């Protein structure tokens, strides 16, 4: 079916009473770090395949893993109310069913337990390729809801993490990436259509908004799409129902500065338009080679659990929450996002209590 560049309009009534939101979102990738694994000595390895993968366990497939996940979502005053759940593709790709042609029992149980705890589940697809393959998988979850869903167990939305735009974000006319950038918007629009009637969540980077991103010489990356000239990031906010903004830093002041422009656009143009729209500012907890970009206690590739040489940030759970609080002090209706469960959030690593 041919799709025009018309915006996807979800048939939901305007929500006029927007409440100050303190609730968090959290990514739940397939495998979570096991701080107690003897092979790893309490250090988050650079590769999940290190030591034959012994440092990581499936994040939600077993009763024990789910108990840990739900406890991690219920920290008093810091409740996670929306999760982006990975490892759903093979469980839903056969007209909503798994490879055996049945409703996947572990997925059904996970959805039922989440619903009972007031936690929304968005199935997560993350091919992150130039073809934007997520567009073809966005149909799976509505099919699952039709074939397998019940009042107690169904998906609440579709989430996509495709970072191909980062490789084509240059504004240099010599590179001439504009057609490629517009193709991403077309693909995202198709993904939102295919996800229907479920809402689409999309993860974006703060610097997709700008050619020059410094506070002294900010220059927006403007694209004409759907007959309107806006920044790439503004178009993405228009197309999707909710977003999280990757700000890639571990101090509240920088996180706030980097997320402010997209937040202001969302607050003026999207907030309250549906019952599910939300704006999350994402905090990385998994180790990064640049320690300033994460709240993890050590750099990626470190051989010690605590690396005290980072020049910025309080790289603990408390430090992450304080930084997110600083953001919300200014961006009143923004919410915090955690990336990710077991990486190193709720892992038991130094400064990161394991919630049980």
């Amino acid at each position: 079916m041919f799709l025009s560049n018309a915006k996807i309009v979800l048939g939901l009534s305007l929500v006029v009473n927007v409440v100050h939101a303190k609730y968090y979102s959290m990514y739940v990738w397939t495998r979570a770090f096991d701080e107690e694994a003897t092979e790893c000595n309490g250090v988050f390895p650079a590769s999940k395949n290190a030591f034959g993968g012994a440092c990581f366990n499936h994040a939600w497939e077993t009763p024990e893993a789910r108990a840990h996940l739900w406890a991690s979502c219920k920290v008093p005053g810091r409740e996670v109310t929306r999760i982006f759940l990975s490892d759903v593709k093979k469980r839903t790709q056969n007209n909503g069913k798994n490879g055996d042609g049945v409703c996947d029992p572990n997925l059904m149980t996970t959805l039922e337990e989440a619903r009972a705890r007031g936690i929304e589940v968005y199935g997560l697809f993350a091919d992150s390729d130039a073809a934007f393959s997520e567009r073809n998988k966005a149909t799976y979850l509505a099919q699952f809801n039709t074939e397998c869903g019940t009042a107690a167990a169904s998906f609440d939305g579709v989430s996509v993490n495709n970072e191909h735009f980062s490789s084509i974000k240059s504004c240099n006319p010599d590179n001439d990436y504009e057609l490629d950038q517009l193709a991403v918007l077309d693909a995202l629009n198709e993904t939102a259509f295919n996800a229907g009637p479920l809402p689409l969540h999309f993860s974006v980077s703060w610097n997709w908004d700008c050619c020059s991103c410094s506070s002294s010489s900010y220059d927006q990356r403007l694209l004409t799409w759907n007959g309107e000239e806006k920044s790439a990031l503004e178009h993405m906010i228009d197309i999707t129902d909710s977003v999280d903004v990757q700000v890639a830093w571990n101090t509240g002041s920088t996180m706030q500065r980097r997320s402010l422009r997209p937040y202001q656009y969302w607050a003026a143009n999207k907030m309250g338009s549906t019952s599910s729209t939300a704006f999350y500012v994402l905090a990385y907890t998994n180790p990064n080679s640049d320690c300033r970009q994460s709240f993890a206690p050590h750099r990626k590739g470190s051989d010690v659990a605590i690396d005290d040489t980072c020049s910025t940030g309080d790289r603990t759970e408390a430090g992450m929450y304080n930084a997110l609080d600083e953001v919300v002090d200014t961006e009143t209706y923004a919410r915090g996002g955690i990336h990710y469960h077991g990486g190193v959030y709720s892992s038991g690593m130094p400064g990161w209590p394991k919630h049980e």
Side-chain angles (χ1 to χ4, degrees):
M1 173 172 37
F2 175 77
L3 296 178
S4 71
N5 280 342
K7 296 179 192 174
I8 303 302
V9 179
L10 302 177
L12 298 174
S13 60
L14 180 67
V15 180
V16 294
N17 295 317
V18 179
V19 179
H20 180 87
K22 67 175 181 178
Y23 298 121
Y24 293 77
S25 67
M26 182 166 67
Y27 278 83
V28 183
W29 293 103
T30 303
R31 293 191 285 171
F33 178 59
D34 180 5
E35 191 269 342
E36 298 176 356
T38 56
E39 295 89 344
C40 310
N41 296 317
V43 178
F44 195 107
S47 169
K48 289 185 178 180
N49 295 320
F51 307 103
C55 302
F56 295 85
N57 298 317
H58 200 284
W60 56 268
E61 197 168 43
T62 66
E64 296 77 15
R66 289 194 299 274
H68 179 210
L69 172 58
W70 307 140
S72 301
C73 292
K74 291 297 181 181
V75 177
R78 303 289 185 177
E79 291 84 358
V80 171
T81 56
R82 182 177 294 180
I83 61 174
F84 308 122
L85 189 72
S86 187
D87 195 24
V88 301
K89 180 179 76 73
K90 291 182 179 179
R91 302 171 192 267
T92 60
Q93 66 183 359
N94 294 297
N95 295 316
K97 297 181 180 180
N98 65 17
D100 296 325
V102 300
C103 301
D104 189 86
N106 287 322
L107 181 56
M108 290 292 295
T109 299
T110 301
L111 293 171
E112 184 174 346
E113 292 180 359
R115 178 75 46 88
R117 291 164 174 79
I119 299 168
E120 297 176 337
V121 179
Y122 281 47
L124 173 60
F125 300 108
D127 299 275
S128 213
D129 58 2
F132 217 98
S133 298
E134 297 91 346
R135 75 178 95 187
N136 302 315
K137 295 161 187 170
T139 61
Y140 296 170
L141 305 189
Q143 291 172 344
F144 173 91
N145 283 356
T146 298
E147 297 295 325
C148 303
T150 68
S154 61
F155 283 102
D156 298 289
V158 177
S159 56
V160 166
N161 180 254
N162 184 306
E163 301 188 23
H164 172 62
F165 197 90
S166 289
S167 67
I168 57 169
K169 67 182 178 68
S170 172
C171 298
N172 187 333
D174 294 335
N175 293 327
D176 196 21
Y177 283 136
E178 183 173 336
L179 290 178
D180 295 322
Q181 294 168 4
L182 291 170
V184 169
L185 298 180
D186 288 339
L188 183 62
N189 185 60
E190 184 180 352
T191 306
F193 180 89
N194 289 344
L198 294 174
L200 178 66
H201 176 89
F202 190 48
S203 186
V204 301
S205 176
W206 71 281
N207 59 15
W208 294 356
D209 188 65
C210 42
C211 295
S212 172
C213 301
S214 69
S215 55
S216 60
S217 59
Y218 198 90
D219 180 23
Q220 279 195 308
R221 175 183 291 102
L222 296 176
L223 295 172
T224 299
W225 184 86
N226 191 37
E228 297 182 281
E229 185 182 61
K230 298 183 180 184
S231 77
L233 194 48
E234 289 170 348
H235 284 304
M236 292 172 186
I237 292 172
D238 285 343
I239 292 168
T240 59
D241 185 65
S242 61
V243 296
D244 65 74
V245 180
Q246 304 169 28
V247 289
W249 209 256
N250 63 13
T251 63
S253 58
T254 298
M255 294 169 73
Q256 187 275 333
R257 177 177 59 81
R258 290 182 172 184
S259 60
L260 181 59
R261 284 177 181 266
Y263 169 76
Q264 289 174 331
Y265 183 82
W266 173 84
N269 296 277
K270 198 78 173 187
M271 184 176 70
S273 61
T274 73
S275 60
S276 50
T277 187
F279 182 94
Y280 298 100
V281 177
L282 197 65
Y284 289 143
T285 69
N286 49 302
N288 191 290
S289 56
D290 183 345
C291 65
R292 299 171 299 174
Q293 295 187 18
S294 171
F295 289 89
H298 66 72
R299 291 174 171 84
K300 184 176 182 179
S302 175
D303 57 3
V304 295
I306 304 178
D307 178 351
D308 292 325
T309 61
C310 197
S311 61
T312 65
D314 175 0
R315 295 180 296 152
T316 64
E317 181 189 82
M320 178 193 72
Y321 284 138
N322 288 337
L324 290 171
D325 286 347
E326 187 174 343
V327 173
V328 176
D329 282 346
T330 301
E331 300 170 13
T332 308
Y333 298 105
R335 308 184 189 188
I338 301 170
H339 186 278
Y340 59 97
H341 172 65
V344 299
Y345 180 77
S346 193
S347 65
M349 292 184 70
W352 293 91
K354 185 174 182 178
H355 301 294
E356 296 179 296

